[in-house]
Amino acid sequence: MDKGVEWQRHDCQVESYVLNSNVPCSDFIRDLHFITRPLSQEEEHYPLAFIVTVHKELEIFVRMLRAIYMPQNIYCIHMDAKAPWEFRVAVQRLVHCFDNVFLSSHSETVTYAGFSRLQADLNCMKDLVTSNVGWKKIVNLCGQDFPIKSNLELVQYMQSKEWRDKNMTPGVKQPVHMSHRTKLQYQEIPGSHVVSKGLKKGPPPRNLQIYFGTAYYALTRDFVDFVLKSPVARELLEWSKDTFSPDEHYFVTLNHIKGRYVRDICVYGVEDLPWIINKNSMFANKFESNTFPEALDCLEQWHRSKVLNQTAVPIERSWLLATQSNSRGSRDFSSHAGA
């Protein structure tokens, strides 16, 4: 952030607004500052698909969604079946206002480290492949993530020579200290936890080498078709049902066929922001509205400013989260790009 510059936020109290507002969708989208047009031809011609799994933190989810939202993309929201009723109603209200945002056709009762977490992603994948949107890659997130790259930067990164036709599924051969996850049988207690059954598992199908990595990914459309249709993928999926945290080995293992902290997750504060921004990752996890709310306020304004500074189209005033004021008077982004 620039020193000596004050920001005057125009944002409403997001959570209370979503919970209590009965205004028309057009006002709802305007008041929540969603971007309503593609910001460049490059982005318009390379639509992305997003899977977002949510179960709490409505404030964080709405602010994350508006940060990643672009009208040419498509968004599948998997709402945990155990989410509170008020949260479910609010998310349904939000989703109803967008043609390209929808709830997964089937909701899982998601258990941390259980097969249900993987199944939630697969449910959304099945929905997304039937969409009329010609998305190029699919990215999965949780409701407490927040983007660091703009949509334009994501598109450029995914079209780069390094990643153009490749999946992003970082991982390594399963380390010895992680081998218990796939060599022992586990049982999921729905909505609660996963317990070991104390029994050994058989080897993976077709003598596959198991890889271990992050549960987050960016996958090509061809690979998603492979995941949903290949006999090898189905066999690995069936074998994975009684493993521990199969979402951390399933996609990365399949990706090798074709060629962070785990539980002690860091909740970011303001002091972490320079490191997050300079690291130049695609997304950061995680944020909480009750722990360090000012961290998300600053990161959100930084991100929206970057997005609007990169746009090739006139900026609409409703897209502004804040205006700047300093000793030389106040200014905003409305003069940029001919707006």
Side-chain angles (χ1 to χ4, degrees):
M1 297 295 176
D2 295 335
K3 293 184 178 180
V5 174
E6 295 181 357
W7 290 88
Q8 180 183 355
R9 289 184 67 89
H10 304 307
D11 206 8
C12 56
Q13 294 295 319
V14 171
E15 182 168 356
S16 60
Y17 184 81
V18 175
L19 288 171
N20 302 316
S21 176
N22 292 312
V23 300
C25 280
S26 58
D27 293 349
F28 195 73
I29 293 170
R30 179 200 65 207
D31 295 344
L32 288 173
H33 307 288
F34 276 83
I35 290 173
T36 51
R37 284 189 292 156
L39 299 185
S40 68
Q41 285 191 348
E42 187 175 4
E43 294 169 85
E44 189 171 10
H45 294 157
Y46 199 91
L48 299 173
F50 289 86
I51 297 172
V52 185
T53 55
V54 296
H55 70 286
K56 64 175 184 177
E57 289 278 4
L58 179 64
E59 173 95 11
I60 305 291
F61 165 63
V62 175
R63 292 167 70 175
M64 183 268 279
L65 180 62
R66 76 175 170 196
I68 65 171
Y69 180 82
M70 292 291 163
Q72 73 274 9
N73 295 340
I74 187 165
Y75 304 83
C76 177
I77 312 301
H78 179 275
M79 186 153 50
D80 197 320
K82 67 178 182 295
W85 177 83
E86 187 178 48
F87 180 91
R88 296 176 65 85
V89 170
V91 173
Q92 289 170 343
R93 162 86 172 98
L94 178 66
V95 166
H96 171 72
C97 287
F98 299 92
D99 293 334
N100 59 335
V101 184
F102 65 93
L103 294 177
S104 175
S105 59
H106 184 74
S107 292
E108 304 293 326
T109 301
V110 177
T111 305
Y112 173 76
F115 181 78
S116 55
R117 176 62 188 83
L118 174 57
Q119 188 63 59
D121 275 9
L122 293 171
N123 292 347
C124 267
M125 285 184 184
K126 291 174 184 176
D127 292 337
L128 286 165
V129 296
T130 67
S131 165
N132 293 327
V133 175
W135 52 268
K136 307 299 184 182
K137 283 192 176 178
I138 193 168
V139 178
N140 75 327
L141 301 168
C142 79
Q144 288 176 266
D145 292 331
F146 203 82
I148 307 303
K149 292 186 184 295
S150 66
N151 190 78
L152 176 62
E153 290 170 335
L154 288 176
V155 165
Q156 291 173 339
Y157 187 54
M158 292 182 189
Q159 290 190 100
S160 66
K161 183 177 180 180
E162 181 181 7
W163 295 111
R164 186 175 301 133
D165 300 312
K166 297 179 181 177
N167 302 302
M168 298 179 189
T169 57
V172 295
K173 288 183 179 180
Q174 191 171 40
V176 173
H177 70 280
M178 294 287 191
S179 62
H180 65 91
R181 293 183 170 209
T182 56
K183 290 188 175 180
L184 297 176
Q185 295 180 19
Y186 291 84
Q187 180 178 356
E188 182 172 337
I189 311 301
S192 180
H193 62 288
V194 171
V195 296
S196 173
K197 297 173 69 174
L199 301 173
K200 288 188 177 181
K201 278 184 64 63
R206 309 195 187 201
N207 294 315
L208 291 175
Q209 169 69 58
I210 299 300
Y211 285 78
F212 171 81
T214 174
Y216 295 98
Y217 51 73
L219 307 175
T220 66
R221 191 157 192 149
D222 285 345
F223 184 77
V224 172
D225 287 338
F226 170 76
V227 167
L228 297 178
K229 297 176 182 178
S230 164
V232 179
R234 286 198 296 268
E235 291 170 24
L236 180 62
L237 185 67
E238 187 64 30
W239 179 84
S240 299
K241 286 184 176 179
D242 60 354
T243 62
F244 186 93
S245 202
D247 55 334
E248 294 184 349
H249 76 248
Y250 182 67
F251 295 110
V252 65
T253 297
L254 289 178
N255 192 36
H256 277 83
I257 296 174
K258 299 191 78 179
R260 98 168 82 181
Y261 298 96
V262 178
R263 195 56 171 169
D264 297 325
I265 300 172
C266 177
V267 177
Y268 291 122
V270 171
E271 296 81 3
D272 298 306
L273 296 186
W275 176 81
I276 292 171
I277 291 169
N278 292 330
K279 191 171 173 61
N280 198 33
S281 299
M282 294 195 295
F283 298 91
N285 174 280
K286 71 179 180 178
F287 296 91
E288 291 182 351
S289 56
N290 295 328
T291 308
F292 302 114
E294 64 280 359
L296 187 61
D297 290 346
C298 290
L299 184 60
E300 182 178 42
Q301 181 57 48
W302 173 84
H303 182 268
R304 179 55 62 98
S305 297
K306 177 166 70 166
V307 168
L308 297 184
N309 279 326
Q310 293 174 349
T311 183
V313 304
I315 291 172
E316 297 183 15
R317 191 166 184 83
S318 65
W319 300 348
L320 302 174
L321 298 182
T323 53
Q324 293 183 13
S325 61
N326 54 34
S327 59
R328 292 171 292 180
S330 63
R331 64 185 181 90
D332 58 31
F333 293 98
S334 60
S335 61
H336 179 77

